[in-house]
Amino acid sequence: MSASGGTKAIVAALAANLAIAVAKFVAFLFSGSSSMLAESVHSLADSGNQGLLLLGGKKAQREATPQHPFGYGRERYIYAFLVSIVLFSVGGMFAIYEGYEKIKDPHQIEAWYWPVGVLVFAIIAESFSFRTAIVESNLTRGKLSWTQFVRRAKAPELPVVLLEDLGALVGLILALAGVGLALGTGNGVWDGIGTLCIGILLIVIAIVLAAETKSLLLGEAAGIEDVEKIRAAVVDGDTVTRVIHMRTLHLGPEELLVAAKIAVRAEESAAEVAEAINAAENRIRDAVPIARVIYLEPDIYDEAAAEAGTNPGKAPGGTTPPEAAAGSGH
């Protein structure tokens, strides 16, 4: 996995969640708090999620085969989608079930210092993990807002870790509030309500992750900036006069397919056109290094015929480049 995949953030989150999961489960055994049980399952699910992200990054590095000629870059999208399913089923649904049971049959929390102490420790540990994810994301986020970064990122790992860590921190605060109210009022129902809120939070995050990774799995175009760089790189003003239409597709976070029909001068020979195409491909790769698979089809452009809709070079479905819309987000 490349550095942009956020391996450091994933490993930091994995280490934090494993330690926190053990601590929370021990606190549950001593206190009987349902919030602690839900949080321990949440941390265990998060640990499994980070393992899935690392596994997806490893599998994505496999070389292309005749059966998969464009490689395995999308493995990272598949495993990120699995993360959303695990978060929904294991974390969210279990917490809702446990919260419902505790509200239906409340009981007093014992040894209150265990859950409170573990929750404070967990908040500190998760804060360090969240900080690592923020630092790693800032290396690639640029001027994008955090919402835009989550929606537009082509590498799924960092948005997943960011949302997981954010959900974990909010969940810990909810658990601490539930335990605190249960201890303050002597009513164990508050512990169950806190657990129920944790479950709802996890399900909301899982739905957001599923929606974002689904878009990546379906196939997204390059971002608007990369599309403009590619268009500018194709045209040399000599043999290649314009881009008639173009399609881009992410084969993986760091691998882009570019297919374009380009206009060449009618008087150019086949050898000159071939040379111009090779030069255009080199310019594209210089401008956008992740553009590794490039197909350029030469054509003779007739502006009048294109306007009339009879030119064979007209973009399928219209003349508006789809990347302008598709590159704006998931």
Side-chain angles (χ1 to χ4, degrees):
M1 189 186 308
S2 72
S4 64
T7 305
K8 183 178 179 181
I10 298 173
V11 173
L14 176 60
N17 280 316
L18 285 174
I20 292 169
V22 173
K24 288 175 180 175
F25 190 71
V26 171
F28 159 71
L29 292 177
F30 279 95
S31 67
S33 168
S34 66
S35 291
M36 294 309 303
L37 179 59
E39 276 295 307
S40 65
V41 173
H42 175 193
S43 294
L44 191 62
D46 281 352
S47 300
N49 289 341
Q50 274 100 50
L52 286 173
L53 292 176
L54 291 171
L55 180 61
K58 183 69 175 177
K59 285 184 170 291
Q61 294 175 353
R62 289 180 292 170
E63 295 293 330
T65 64
Q67 188 176 6
H68 297 92
F70 293 113
Y72 292 86
R74 288 194 181 182
E75 288 267 17
R76 287 164 67 178
Y77 300 153
I78 293 171
Y79 280 85
F81 188 74
L82 289 176
V83 164
S84 67
I85 296 174
V86 171
L87 192 63
F88 176 87
S89 58
V90 178
M93 296 304 293
F94 177 83
I96 286 180
Y97 169 78
E98 185 65 24
Y100 169 76
E101 288 294 319
K102 186 61 179 285
I103 292 172
K104 188 173 68 172
D105 183 23
H107 56 270
Q108 189 66 29
I109 295 176
E110 302 172 1
W112 64 268
Y113 43 84
W114 273 102
V116 171
V118 167
L119 285 171
V120 171
F121 160 74
I123 288 173
I124 294 172
E126 283 290 359
S127 297
F128 278 108
S129 175
F130 191 38
R131 179 183 178 277
T132 301
I134 290 173
V135 171
E136 289 286 292
S137 298
N138 280 334
L139 297 176
T140 58
R141 184 168 66 96
K143 297 180 180 180
L144 296 176
S145 68
W146 286 109
T147 302
Q148 290 173 328
F149 175 71
V150 170
R151 288 183 56 81
R152 297 185 185 183
K154 304 304 180 184
E157 292 85 1
L158 282 174
V160 168
V161 174
L162 276 169
L163 288 176
E164 275 191 350
D165 284 352
L166 177 62
L169 278 173
V170 176
L172 288 168
I173 293 170
L174 290 172
L176 188 59
V179 170
L181 286 170
L183 291 171
T185 62
N187 189 349
V189 168
W190 286 108
D191 188 29
I193 292 174
T195 307
L196 199 63
C197 291
I198 292 169
I200 294 171
L201 170 70
L202 293 180
I203 288 176
V204 170
I205 291 176
I207 291 172
V208 172
L209 285 177
E212 299 304 317
T213 52
K214 174 192 172 186
S215 180
L216 292 169
L217 275 172
L218 288 174
E220 286 194 357
I224 296 175
E225 291 184 1
D226 283 345
V227 169
E228 292 306 315
K229 288 179 182 178
I230 293 169
R231 287 183 173 276
V234 170
V235 179
D236 62 5
D238 185 14
T239 303
V240 182
T241 59
R242 69 182 298 159
V243 176
I244 299 173
H245 64 78
M246 182 173 70
R247 298 289 187 271
T248 61
L249 178 68
H250 269 273
L251 301 174
E254 283 95 30
E255 188 168 12
L256 186 66
L257 181 149
V258 178
K261 179 168 284 193
I262 59 176
V264 298
R265 298 187 187 280
E267 63 272 15
E268 301 289 347
S269 66
E272 290 171 330
V273 170
E275 184 179 349
I277 288 175
N278 290 334
E281 290 178 353
N282 290 331
R283 291 194 300 272
I284 290 171
R285 291 190 175 96
D286 288 340
V288 182
I290 66 171
R292 299 176 186 174
V293 182
I294 303 173
Y295 299 107
L296 300 180
E297 178 186 354
D299 199 356
I300 307 300
Y301 184 75
D302 186 326
E303 188 169 353
E307 290 296 327
T310 59
N311 187 72
K314 184 178 179 181
T319 57
T320 302
E323 289 85 354
S328 61
H330 301 319

